[in-house]
Amino acid sequence: MAPKATILAACLLLVAALGSGVSGDGLVNEDVKRTVDLSSHLAKTTAEIVLSNQGNSGVQSFVLAVEADLAPHLAYIGATVKGNEEEDGTLALTSIQQTSIQGQSGEFYKVQLPSSLAAGAQLKVKVEMMFSHVLKPFPTHITQAERQLVVFQGNHYLFSPYPTRSQTTRVRLASKTAESYTKLGNPAKSDEVLEYGPFRDVAPFSEDTMKIHYENNSPFLTISSITRIIEVSHWGNIAVEETIDLRHTGANLKGPFSRYDYQRQSDSGISSVKSFKTILPASAQDVYYRDEIGNISTSHLQVLDDSVEVEVRPRFPLFGGWKTHYIIGYNLPSYEYLYTLGDQYALKMRLVDHVYDDQVIDSMTVKIILPEGARNIHVDTPYKIDRMPNQLHYTYLDTFGRPVLVATKNNLVEQHIQDVVVHYNFNKILMLQEPLLVVGAFYILFFTVIIYVRLDFAITKDPAAEVRMKVASITEQVLTLVNKRLGLYRHMDEVVNRYKQSRDTGALNSGRKTLEADHRALTNEISSLQARLKAEGSDLADKVGEVQKLDGQLKELVCRSSQEAERLVAGKVKKEAYIESEKTLISRRQELVGRIDSLLDAL
Amino acid sequence: MSVRFGDVTAAARCNDPEFKTHAHGERERERERLAHVTRGHRGQDNRSRAGTTARGSFYAGAGKAWHESDARAREQTPRTGQRAREMAEHHAASDGKHKASAGAGGSVHGSSRPGAAVGGGGGGGTGKGGLSGGLTQPAGWQSLLSFSILFLACLAGFSSRLFAVIRFESIIHEFDPWFNYRSTHHLTTNGFYEFLNWFDERAWYPLGRIVGGTVYPGLMVTAGLIHYVLNLLHITVHIRDVCVFLAPVFSGLTAISTFLLTRELWNQGAGLLAACFIAIVPGYISRSVAGSFDNEGIAIFALQFTYYLWVKSVKTGSVFWAIGCCLSYFYMVSAWGGYVFIINLIPLHVFALLLMQRYSRRVYIAYSTFYIVGLVLSMQIPFVGFQPIRTSEHMAAAGVFALLQAYALLQYLKDRLTRQEFQTLFFLGVSLAAGVVFLTVIYLTYTGVYVPLARAHYAKIHIPIIASVSEHQPTTWVSFFFDLHILVCTFPAGLWFCIKNINDERVFVALYAISAVYFAGVMVRLMLTLTPVVCMLSAVAFSSVFEHYMGDDTKREKPPAEDSSDEDDKRNSGNLYDKVKSIVTMLMLMLLMMFAVHCTWVTSNAYSSPSVVLASYNHDGTRNILDDFREAYYWLRQNTDEHVRVMSWWDYGYQIAGMANRTTLVDNNTWNNSHIALVSRSNVDYVLIIFGGVIGYSGDDINKFLWMVRIAEGEHPKDIRESDYFTPQGEFRVDKAGSPTLLNCLMYKMSYYRFGEMQLDFRTPPGFDRTRNAEIGNKDIKFKHLEEAFTSEHWLVRIYKVKNLDNREPLDHKLRSVVPRQKYTSKKVTAVGPFVSIAFPKTPRGCFVLSTRSVYCHRGAKKPENIHM
């Protein structure tokens, strides 16, 4: 304590010396109500300060101070002005800037007031600070059956560059059990609350160590690193993926882990983390929760009205010192987050989202992947983050890469769940690029196939195959012609039938004539084809010749049947006789047709 | 084959009455085909002559054909087609008119042109006629139909393998695939050369493993290449998904290559059937479901494709196809130890062809090219190295090569020498060749390597680790039927068809079938090599039957009902024939349908469990997922030091390396028996055991314990006796009546530590083991050197930490009686005993090569002597 006291003295001296510098503003903390909330693994301090200007002139800003011991752990600092009754709600202070005051250790933040505080006037300010990793487990190693005890070291007083007239400090613990606590001013302890003070007329920069050793079994989960990737697609989807490294930063587990005890005794491993809830946006779809070795099957998803709740249960319960790693991802419809005006787009998304209540993130990397061709990118962040150089990302159907905004920040808490706005320009024509690429690829594919099939790439000719193909094509023609010729006979039958009804000899003769003509033409054609077949050396020519022969007989039959019909019409034959002869003719015809058919099949 | 000969010129040419030139064979085949074609017509003629079908119906057939050709003509020549269509329309219209005036026209006209009625039946008939008309020609329709059937077969094959992905997730299955996945991952992250030089210190502690030189890299390279190409196209697929879906994709390719091969052997229809069979047959699916990222998945494709190219090169005798065959063979060598099957089957084929006097220049070109180029290519694989010229299992190929050269030389000399000279030379050559072959065979048999049966028996008797793997058991009839269903009954018919109409390539398939059946009988896992040939031959059988009973229908429609009434009896017999036809067809279709149902059922129920994730079903049908393996592995991965050594039974070595990324003592690469036997005597940090007593999982370490004892006994018969672990009655019991040696051994203690306090339900006493249905005998278990580090939710995996003792007890150099008990007395490796490096590359035919190898003593790997301290 001795060195600390000397520092304190030195500080006081310095303050006195610099009196004109800092407290020259004439600001005084009239009344301070401090609350230190230690019920979780974070230390949240809230101070309601009545600030009065006892100087001569109006003041535009005031300074908030953080103790040197706690400053590295400070995750969040915020101040709000409590308005008067007629004004509604609170006013967020415009800006908080880090400043330094010479000769003082610790960090200082200058708060700009919305309007100047006139001399003699008073202002109610609420200052909120969050500290991470300030609750140290003690003992540092516990067994599965033991409870977790932690130590908090803080300040009994409000650390402020201004003198304080009166203040109280209320400490909220996680449980009733407190091993020890500093007894400055005889604090009153009821259940989980410790009340210090009131302390009167405290000098600026006064520090007095407050040390509390108490039981805290709340989950000491820390996200040691998180990578959040937001991928925007103009086709209506925003994909979010978070890769999370989680660690239990409470007292380490000592000795064995007994599953039996863990399952059978309710207070076994009380400080361990079995599961926690992650709240995703209400429109989140296709949620996945996995790690390097696959899906983590122990999770549950609950869709609520205003959110989607994932019960994230790591593969194994997390004891002190144990860690795990997982990936959670989901899709969002872009219309809720992407705003557009002509070619201008604005993406408004949370920079960091909820992982679990009272979350602590040691290090965060955010990557926002914009569509290919996004230009004039401009980012509005709610708080200061470190931008890294932009990267390029290639995924499906990309040609020149999507721009990726990368930013990192350390030590984040729940209060950092705020929206970031990314403005960019995007030419809508570029939307066509991807479908055109697909179309082009298929076009090339089909075109290549067409080219390959149509053209002959053989470097040697195969005469046998060529002959075979030639013969096949000739045979094909022969088949067509023969079939057509058979059709002619059928047509002739029609003519004969019609003639039998109409008794129009002229029609019959003309039909016969056309038959003769067509038949001759076809027969000639077939004979020429037969000659060509012969020339190719195919033995099929003989078969064609046979077909020709049979066809001649067939044609004769057809002619005879038409003659018979003529004779019937002329009354030269009896109907019965005609039917008889017609029957024999038809049967012979059928036989011939059958033979031709079988020959054709053999071709 | 000596059934048909008698070509005098051919016989004279080679002093052998049974010799038949290939040209003759060709002619014979051609004649046969013609006979086959005409037989159908002859049959029809007979039928019509017997009056089975009324002449009207015959005419109807012609008319139908006419209509078909009408449609065809329409397609081909637009100009004449126009006319033909006009004619057809005219015809139909007149026919309609005719029907209206049927009374006037009389029955004569009606019966004289039933064909017209068919034509007038409507456009649908014509359209169908067009389709079947197209089918009778090798034209567009046929190729479109084949293409779509093939495509659908591939699709069916792909999608029926996705049960596991849909039910569970996209995850690597089982044990070996985890190693493959891990090495593929290494390949994709570090590049090809790094992969080849990868010394994996996570395996076989303290020896390590040179992965690049001890794996068949084909699988990893294939997956890595696909991943690389996809990423080059900016298709950002994770390597895991590539690995998971590789086997289903390759099964599609297998279907295509089977189609090609069967088409070469029989015809296109059989090819399509074979493709459909292989796409869904369980015998192949068992090794190629999505997630089963194993060599077999791609090897069967390579096997079939190599055979296709071989058949093609034998048929054409072109160097082009032979080189293609070599490249495919190279891929097969790089993918699977089963390449030995190819390098023995192809020489066997050539040898058989020589014996059958079917030698031709084509065979000579094909085999010479294949052997030389294939040999050189296969030696490029580091793992294979010089084996193709050193080990006896490759000697058959060399012998046949020499024989073929000698034979070809004789053929060459024959023309240049006098008859007398030639005869002398011939006898000399023949006796020399016979001697060489004889000696080779004797040598191969003597070394006990070439005869797989001997090997399998040897392995089973002498090497407990081989016998401990369930897939090395002989195949039962049940599993034949389970994996092949109806195909196992039909494929002998296909084989018979092939042998009946033998030619060069059918000799090949017959040999393939016979050898594969034999191997499949020896070992369950070799069902895999049998499956493709069964599919092909069954397809041949089915195709022949269908051709016989359905083939006519495509050409001739059934007679319409307008037969004249006086031919009633004849029509009846016609109907009988039709009935038989339709009954047979229906029966066949029923069989095929049942086959498809069976395949789907088997795939869904038997072969689609990842075995990394277990699922149990409640009474109401909801599913519980037991994810204990991954829970424990992931705990190891996240919450232990990166360099800790984990001891477990060898099954889990690959999974620990893959999922937990920690060093293991032994894994599934069962190359070193003594190392596995000495699992216990090493310096380890964690011990991992599988315990199924809580949920009733039967594959746990207590049940495998006897194998551990047997393996240890095999290596150290003086120290460990299997009989110690049995009760006097010869039972293996875990309850109070069990052998005291068992009840106090470390494996028992680790499994049941604190289990004695646990009451699973109210009907059973505490410490009731659900797997073995017994209350455990030793409930008071205390450890001196171990502490429980982690137990998964359902107690399936238990991990113990070996305590670091400040003052170690003096080392006991005497080998203790119980292997696992040694775990807590020895902290450092003590005497390991004779280091017998026996390599057991898993070859598909169960050929375990017994050879002392020094692969592991290269480079960074410590020499065996060094590790024994």
Side-chain angles (χ1 to χ4, degrees):
Chain A
M1 280 293 120
K4 206 152 234 174
T6 49
I7 289 170
L8 205 70
C11 289
L12 285 172
L13 277 172
L14 268 168
V15 168
L18 294 166
S20 58
V22 179
S23 49
D25 301 343
L27 286 174
V28 170
N29 299 325
E30 281 292 340
D31 184 37
V32 175
K33 282 194 186 120
R34 250 178 105 214
T35 312
V36 181
D37 186 351
L38 304 176
S39 58
S40 67
H41 63 136
L42 295 170
K44 305 175 198 168
T45 66
T46 324
E48 286 180 19
I49 308 170
V50 178
L51 208 61
S52 80
N53 184 2
Q54 295 184 351
N56 305 322
S57 56
V59 181
Q60 295 295 332
S61 64
F62 67 100
V63 173
L64 294 173
V66 184
E67 294 90 335
D69 294 348
L70 292 177
H73 298 292
L74 180 72
Y76 172 78
I77 183 165
T80 47
V81 175
K82 288 231 166 167
N84 299 328
E85 274 101 59
E86 58 263 29
E87 290 172 39
D88 47 345
T90 58
L91 277 171
L93 295 180
T94 48
S95 65
I96 297 183
Q97 281 177 332
Q98 197 169 350
T99 65
S100 60
I101 295 173
Q102 275 196 335
Q104 284 294 334
S105 59
E107 281 178 11
F108 300 93
Y109 296 89
K110 192 174 188 181
V111 182
Q112 208 71 32
L113 289 171
S115 55
S116 83
L117 188 63
Q122 280 194 339
L123 185 68
K124 258 190 178 173
V125 182
K126 190 177 175 192
V127 178
E128 219 180 330
M129 291 186 219
M130 302 279 272
F131 299 96
S132 60
H133 301 302
V134 287
L135 302 180
K136 302 273 188 255
F138 187 83
T140 52
H141 289 74
I142 55 171
T143 62
Q144 190 180 344
E146 282 172 341
R147 283 147 187 281
Q148 180 171 267
L149 299 171
V150 295
V151 175
F152 173 72
Q153 278 198 335
N155 189 354
H156 281 117
Y157 307 118
L158 174 75
F159 192 64
S160 170
Y162 311 116
T164 308
R165 294 261 187 272
S166 120
Q167 65 168 302
T168 57
T169 300
R170 165 184 287 211
V171 182
R172 189 179 300 277
L173 304 178
S175 64
K176 288 179 205 168
T177 326
E179 295 280 308
S180 68
Y181 50 92
T182 46
K183 301 274 189 335
L184 182 74
N186 239 345
K189 179 173 180 299
S190 59
D191 285 352
E192 296 159 9
V193 179
L194 274 173
E195 299 261 16
Y196 284 95
F199 306 112
R200 308 248 169 234
D201 292 323
V202 182
F205 300 113
S206 23
E207 264 191 288
D208 186 70
T209 307
M210 173 169 73
K211 186 172 178 182
I212 303 169
H213 186 200
Y214 69 105
E215 183 186 324
N216 186 349
N217 287 318
S218 62
F220 270 54
L221 272 184
T222 305
I223 299 169
S224 34
S225 80
I226 177 172
T227 307
R228 184 171 152 94
I229 299 173
I230 299 167
E231 189 174 345
V232 182
S233 159
H234 278 184
W235 295 94
N237 190 52
I238 297 175
V240 181
E241 185 175 281
E242 290 170 351
T243 309
I244 294 172
D245 276 312
L246 208 59
R247 187 178 197 97
H248 190 295
T249 46
N252 286 0
L253 178 71
K254 176 175 75 180
F257 161 63
S258 166
R259 177 66 73 169
Y260 178 78
D261 290 340
Y262 189 69
Q263 280 173 339
R264 294 297 141 134
Q265 289 163 25
S266 57
D267 62 343
S268 175
I270 194 166
S271 58
S272 69
V273 181
K274 204 168 193 172
S275 69
F276 51 86
K277 277 197 174 118
T278 297
I279 297 168
L280 307 179
S283 50
Q285 283 173 329
D286 317 326
V287 183
Y288 56 91
Y289 168 49
R290 55 174 302 135
D291 56 30
E292 296 103 310
I293 60 171
N295 176 41
I296 303 171
S297 52
T298 43
S299 57
H300 297 284
L301 189 77
Q302 205 177 358
V303 181
L304 305 175
D305 286 342
D306 55 347
S307 64
V308 174
E309 240 179 47
V310 190
E311 194 206 332
V312 173
R313 214 176 129 195
R315 290 193 189 273
F316 43 84
L318 285 172
F319 279 84
W322 290 9
K323 63 187 171 64
T324 192
H325 171 95
Y326 68 88
I327 298 163
I328 192 164
Y330 49 90
N331 287 335
L332 297 169
S334 64
Y335 63 82
E336 290 190 11
Y337 300 95
L338 194 62
Y339 303 89
T340 171
L341 180 73
D343 273 358
Q344 291 177 318
Y345 285 84
L347 175 77
K348 195 176 173 193
M349 289 266 314
R350 282 178 172 179
L351 194 61
V352 56
D353 210 339
H354 181 267
V355 180
Y356 56 90
D357 291 339
D358 293 325
Q359 63 191 20
V360 176
I361 299 170
D362 284 351
S363 130
M364 176 192 68
T365 308
V366 178
K367 291 184 180 177
I368 302 175
I369 303 172
L370 297 176
E372 206 173 20
R375 289 170 293 111
N376 304 335
I377 302 158
H378 164 72
V379 186
D380 283 343
T381 52
Y383 38 83
K384 192 172 155 287
I385 57 174
D386 304 325
R387 283 283 298 278
M388 301 274 159
N390 283 6
Q391 299 172 345
L392 280 181
H393 175 78
Y394 295 94
T395 182
Y396 302 99
L397 302 172
D398 283 350
T399 45
F400 51 92
R402 308 183 176 206
V404 185
L405 311 178
V406 188
T408 60
K409 187 168 170 61
N410 292 338
N411 206 0
L412 289 94
V413 287
E414 248 179 2
Q415 273 78 0
H416 289 98
I417 302 178
Q418 290 179 38
D419 283 339
V420 63
V421 184
V422 181
H423 300 275
Y424 61 92
N425 284 14
F426 179 80
N427 193 347
K428 283 202 168 76
I429 291 291
L430 285 171
M431 293 276 284
L432 288 176
Q433 186 198 354
E434 288 167 4
L436 283 179
L437 264 177
V438 175
V439 169
F442 275 101
Y443 179 78
I444 290 170
L445 176 72
F446 290 138
F447 195 73
T448 324
V449 170
I450 288 170
I451 294 279
Y452 178 76
V453 169
R454 298 291 158 114
L455 298 185
D456 186 7
F457 290 101
I459 48 173
T460 54
K461 295 270 174 256
D462 184 359
E466 246 164 69
V467 166
R468 229 177 297 130
M469 270 163 70
K470 223 181 250 176
V471 166
S473 81
I474 294 172
T475 321
E476 197 79 3
Q477 285 174 34
V478 169
L479 279 177
T480 322
L481 291 173
V482 169
N483 278 319
K484 219 188 280 173
R485 203 162 57 184
L486 290 176
L488 283 180
Y489 303 143
R490 197 179 300 272
H491 188 65
M492 190 58 207
D493 281 352
E494 292 298 318
V495 172
V496 170
N497 279 338
R498 232 177 297 138
Y499 164 70
K500 274 188 282 188
Q501 277 158 19
S502 65
R503 291 159 193 271
D504 179 1
T505 327
L508 180 67
N509 284 335
S510 72
R512 210 182 277 162
K513 251 179 220 154
T514 51
L515 171 71
E516 289 287 339
D518 285 355
H519 185 266
R520 200 171 304 125
L522 285 174
T523 310
N524 287 341
E525 237 174 286
I526 292 172
S527 334
S528 70
L529 285 175
Q530 187 191 352
R532 271 175 65 194
L533 271 181
K534 215 166 214 164
E536 295 294 345
S538 168
D539 51 349
L540 291 174
D542 306 340
K543 286 204 178 109
V544 175
E546 212 170 314
V547 169
Q548 292 283 66
K549 223 188 294 164
L550 289 171
D551 184 69
Q553 297 172 18
L554 188 63
K555 193 188 159 239
E556 223 163 89
L557 288 176
V558 171
C559 289
R560 265 185 62 194
S561 90
S562 76
Q563 279 162 15
E564 286 286 316
E566 214 173 352
R567 282 170 63 197
L568 174 74
V569 170
K572 284 178 191 159
V573 277
K574 283 257 165 59
K575 196 171 181 180
E576 288 77 29
Y578 170 74
I579 289 169
E580 264 314 297
S581 67
E582 182 77 10
K583 229 181 196 169
T584 53
L585 278 178
I586 281 171
S587 73
R588 281 183 59 196
R589 261 177 70 179
Q590 276 169 9
E591 201 183 319
L592 283 173
V593 167
R595 280 170 66 188
I596 291 176
D597 217 47
S598 65
L599 275 172
L600 287 185
D601 279 345
L603 275 179
Chain B
M1 208 29 241
S2 56
V3 184
R4 263 186 266 107
F5 61 88
D7 193 327
V8 185
T9 50
R13 244 170 65 196
C14 139
N15 301 339
D16 189 338
E18 285 194 7
F19 184 86
K20 190 175 63 179
T21 60
H22 187 79
H24 177 229
E26 285 280 0
R27 225 176 302 140
E28 192 82 14
R29 224 181 303 150
E30 186 67 24
R31 205 180 303 151
E32 247 169 45
R33 214 178 58 228
L34 285 176
H36 188 73
V37 172
T38 46
R39 207 176 298 138
H41 295 291
R42 218 179 300 138
Q44 206 145 26
D45 287 346
N46 289 343
R47 241 185 300 138
S48 62
R49 216 175 303 139
T52 326
T53 326
R55 59 161 93 103
S57 80
F58 202 73
Y59 194 82
K64 179 73 191 159
W66 187 79
H67 271 272
E68 284 164 14
S69 62
D70 172 16
R72 204 159 49 200
R74 213 180 299 164
E75 284 166 19
Q76 283 158 357
T77 46
R79 191 174 50 81
T80 50
Q82 184 69 29
R83 228 155 73 202
R85 188 162 49 236
E86 273 166 24
M87 270 157 62
E89 273 162 16
H90 177 71
H91 202 75
S94 70
D95 187 75
K97 227 189 289 167
H98 215 80
K99 273 206 172 143
S101 59
S107 65
V108 182
H109 300 275
S111 66
S112 73
R113 256 197 321 283
V118 176
T126 324
K128 207 177 147 230
L131 180 68
S132 54
L135 275 176
T136 55
Q137 305 168 8
W141 277 109
Q142 196 178 2
S143 63
L144 178 66
L145 208 60
S146 322
F147 180 80
S148 36
I149 289 172
L150 206 53
F151 178 73
L152 285 175
C154 293
L155 201 67
F158 180 82
S159 42
S160 73
R161 283 165 170 79
L162 301 185
F163 276 109
V165 171
I166 291 162
R167 287 209 190 125
F168 295 95
E169 58 185 282
S170 162
I171 188 183
I172 305 292
H173 290 190
E174 293 191 324
F175 307 109
D176 284 21
W178 274 102
F179 168 75
N180 298 328
Y181 170 61
R182 186 163 155 255
S183 7
T184 313
H185 198 268
H186 189 88
L187 170 70
T188 50
T189 43
N190 297 316
F192 182 64
Y193 289 104
E194 266 306 303
F195 168 71
L196 280 184
N197 292 326
W198 183 24
F199 179 76
D200 179 14
E201 71 277 9
R202 287 270 146 94
W204 289 96
Y205 177 82
L207 306 181
R209 177 179 179 188
I210 302 167
V211 173
T214 56
V215 291
Y216 291 101
L219 182 74
M220 296 96 188
V221 172
T222 308
L225 200 70
I226 291 174
H227 181 250
Y228 175 76
V229 169
L230 287 180
N231 272 298
L232 212 63
L233 296 170
H234 299 320
I235 299 174
T236 44
V237 178
H238 194 271
I239 182 66
R240 183 193 55 244
D241 291 322
V242 175
C243 294
V244 165
F245 291 103
L246 190 76
V249 167
F250 267 79
S251 71
L253 295 179
T254 308
I256 292 170
S257 54
T258 305
F259 162 74
L260 293 173
L261 180 54
T262 318
R263 192 179 63 179
E264 290 305 319
L265 294 172
W266 200 257
N267 59 23
Q268 188 144 4
L272 288 174
L273 265 177
C276 296
F277 287 157
I278 193 91
I280 57 168
V281 69
Y284 177 38
I285 281 188
S286 64
R287 296 317 194 92
S288 64
V289 290
S292 151
F293 179 55
D294 217 339
N295 294 334
E296 289 95 332
I298 63 168
I300 293 299
F301 158 71
L303 185 83
Q304 288 290 91
F305 200 62
T306 311
Y307 286 157
Y308 162 66
L309 292 170
W310 167 248
V311 163
K312 195 89 188 163
S313 53
V314 166
K315 265 179 130 177
T316 58
S318 95
V319 177
F320 172 75
W321 289 109
I323 294 289
C325 179
C326 294
L327 291 175
S328 176
Y329 172 66
F330 173 63
Y331 184 61
M332 176 72 184
V333 175
S334 77
W336 197 32
Y339 77 90
V340 188
F341 186 46
I342 298 183
I343 200 62
N344 282 308
L345 186 60
I346 286 179
L348 187 66
H349 178 216
V350 174
F351 190 60
L353 288 181
L354 286 184
L355 283 186
M356 293 166 74
Q357 304 291 6
R358 283 176 166 274
Y359 168 80
S360 68
R361 196 165 285 176
R362 292 170 292 116
V363 175
Y364 179 76
I365 292 169
Y367 188 67
S368 302
T369 318
F370 168 75
Y371 181 69
I372 298 294
V373 181
L375 183 76
V376 171
L377 284 178
S378 67
M379 281 161 70
Q380 307 307 310
I381 305 295
F383 189 35
V384 175
F386 280 92
Q387 278 185 54
I389 51 169
R390 279 210 318 231
T391 61
S392 45
E393 54 194 350
H394 298 85
M395 283 307 143
V400 169
F401 179 69
L403 190 71
L404 193 70
Q405 300 306 322
Y407 195 93
L409 184 71
L410 280 182
Q411 293 277 321
Y412 174 77
L413 290 176
K414 197 175 61 186
D415 299 339
R416 287 159 210 264
L417 298 175
T418 63
R419 198 179 165 75
Q420 192 60 40
E421 279 173 332
F422 179 71
Q423 257 174 1
T424 336
L425 200 73
F426 177 77
F427 278 117
L428 257 175
V430 163
S431 48
L432 201 72
V436 165
V437 170
F438 181 72
L439 284 178
T440 318
V441 169
I442 288 290
Y443 168 69
L444 296 176
T445 319
Y446 180 73
T447 50
V449 174
Y450 185 56
V451 184
L453 184 67
R455 247 183 292 182
H457 277 305
Y458 177 85
K460 216 167 287 168
I461 294 162
H462 297 284
I463 310 165
I465 191 165
I466 305 236
S468 77
V469 179
S470 61
E471 61 186 25
H472 292 162
Q473 305 299 323
T475 318
T476 56
W477 278 111
V478 178
S479 68
F480 267 112
F481 186 75
F482 191 70
D483 276 359
L484 300 170
H485 196 246
I486 194 69
L487 303 188
V488 81
C489 312
T490 52
F491 100 97
L495 187 60
W496 183 74
F497 277 123
C498 276
I499 291 177
K500 206 174 140 219
N501 306 314
I502 200 92
N503 59 22
D504 285 358
E505 57 267 22
R506 286 175 196 162
V507 171
F508 177 76
V509 81
L511 290 172
Y512 182 8
I514 291 162
S515 51
V517 165
Y518 172 67
F519 292 136
V522 172
M523 221 182 244
V524 177
R525 62 182 283 179
L526 301 186
M527 280 298 286
L528 192 62
T529 48
L530 175 67
T531 306
V533 71
V534 164
C535 288
M536 294 190 309
L537 289 177
S538 293
V540 166
F542 272 104
S543 167
S544 308
V545 171
F546 279 135
E547 227 163 62
H548 209 262
Y549 286 98
M550 281 173 83
D552 287 347
D553 288 9
T554 56
K555 285 182 192 145
R556 312 237 179 279
E557 285 292 311
K558 264 190 256 173
E562 286 148 284
D563 284 357
S564 29
S565 52
D566 59 343
E567 287 170 342
D568 252 3
D569 50 337
K570 291 166 185 175
R571 198 180 60 193
N572 279 347
S573 61
N575 283 353
L576 189 67
Y577 175 75
D578 285 342
K579 263 182 205 149
V580 169
K581 256 174 41 168
S582 53
I583 285 171
V584 169
T585 312
M586 287 299 287
L587 210 68
M588 286 289 160
L589 288 176
M590 282 283 286
L591 282 179
L592 290 183
M593 203 182 75
M594 278 158 64
F595 171 68
V597 169
H598 173 82
C599 289
T600 318
W601 179 80
V602 168
T603 311
S604 147
N605 287 296
Y607 293 137
S608 291
S609 167
S611 90
V612 176
V613 189
L614 307 172
S616 70
Y617 292 89
N618 298 335
H619 295 296
D620 57 350
T622 55
R623 192 173 65 157
N624 281 333
I625 285 189
L626 310 178
D627 215 353
D628 284 38
F629 285 110
R630 285 194 292 179
E631 180 185 347
Y633 294 143
Y634 206 63
W635 181 83
L636 273 177
R637 186 188 184 106
Q638 291 290 335
N639 294 307
T640 55
D641 184 77
E642 206 190 332
H643 300 292
V644 298
R645 296 164 292 271
V646 182
M647 174 167 83
S648 74
W649 179 232
W650 60 273
D651 286 11
Y652 307 100
Y654 280 157
Q655 287 187 350
I656 293 172
M659 286 197 255
N661 197 16
R662 293 293 174 266
T663 308
T664 57
L665 266 65
V666 287
D667 59 33
N668 309 38
N669 186 353
T670 48
W671 64 274
N672 187 341
N673 210 11
S674 59
H675 197 73
I676 287 178
L678 286 162
V679 145
S680 54
R681 308 182 182 194
S682 312
N683 179 20
V684 298
D685 301 303
Y686 288 91
V687 184
L688 181 145
I689 59 154
I690 307 295
F691 171 61
V694 174
I695 53 164
Y697 177 73
S698 58
D700 66 354
D701 280 353
I702 291 276
N703 281 359
K704 289 178 184 167
F705 183 59
L706 277 182
W707 286 114
M708 303 182 200
V709 174
R710 272 172 215 156
I711 290 167
E713 189 184 14
E715 290 291 323
H716 307 287
K718 284 182 209 142
D719 307 313
I720 297 139
R721 276 184 307 279
E722 191 181 342
S723 55
D724 288 349
Y725 296 88
F726 289 112
T727 57
Q729 287 78 39
E731 292 167 298
F732 183 71
R733 301 181 64 151
V734 295
D735 56 8
K736 282 204 175 66
S739 133
T741 320
L742 175 69
L743 293 196
N744 289 304
C745 78
L746 191 68
M747 176 55 78
Y748 186 91
K749 283 175 152 187
M750 285 197 296
S751 290
Y752 293 121
Y753 178 60
R754 299 206 71 181
F755 185 67
E757 301 163 43
M758 186 157 174
Q759 190 164 15
L760 288 167
D761 54 40
F762 296 110
R763 279 162 295 171
T764 53
F768 185 81
D769 185 333
R770 280 189 183 158
T771 309
R772 285 155 284 271
N773 283 323
E775 188 186 347
I776 57 167
N778 183 358
K779 288 188 184 174
D780 181 33
I781 296 170
K782 295 264 188 302
F783 289 119
K784 197 169 164 194
H785 299 286
L786 295 176
E787 73 178 22
E788 188 180 8
F790 188 80
T791 298
S792 66
E793 193 178 350
H794 304 96
W795 293 51
L796 199 52
V797 184
R798 309 195 74 180
I799 301 169
Y800 290 87
K801 186 176 177 13
V802 180
K803 283 186 198 163
N804 267 329
L805 297 183
D806 294 334
N807 280 318
R808 196 174 292 131
E809 290 163 34
L811 288 178
D812 185 357
H813 280 271
K814 210 181 120 229
L815 290 170
R816 288 301 233 356
S817 56
V818 186
V819 172
R821 206 191 281 163
Q822 291 284 336
K823 280 166 188 164
Y824 61 93
T825 51
S826 59
K827 295 274 89 64
K828 282 284 172 207
V829 180
T830 58
V832 178
F835 184 88
V836 188
S837 171
I838 304 172
F840 299 103
K842 281 188 202 165
T843 50
R845 303 157 303 118
C847 320
F848 293 94
V849 190
L850 291 173
S851 59
T852 312
R853 298 213 301 159
S854 54
V855 172
Y856 292 88
C857 305
H858 294 164
R859 288 196 338 125
K862 295 170 195 161
K863 283 222 155 61
E865 297 84 61
N866 300 346
I867 56 155
H868 307 314
M869 289 169 209

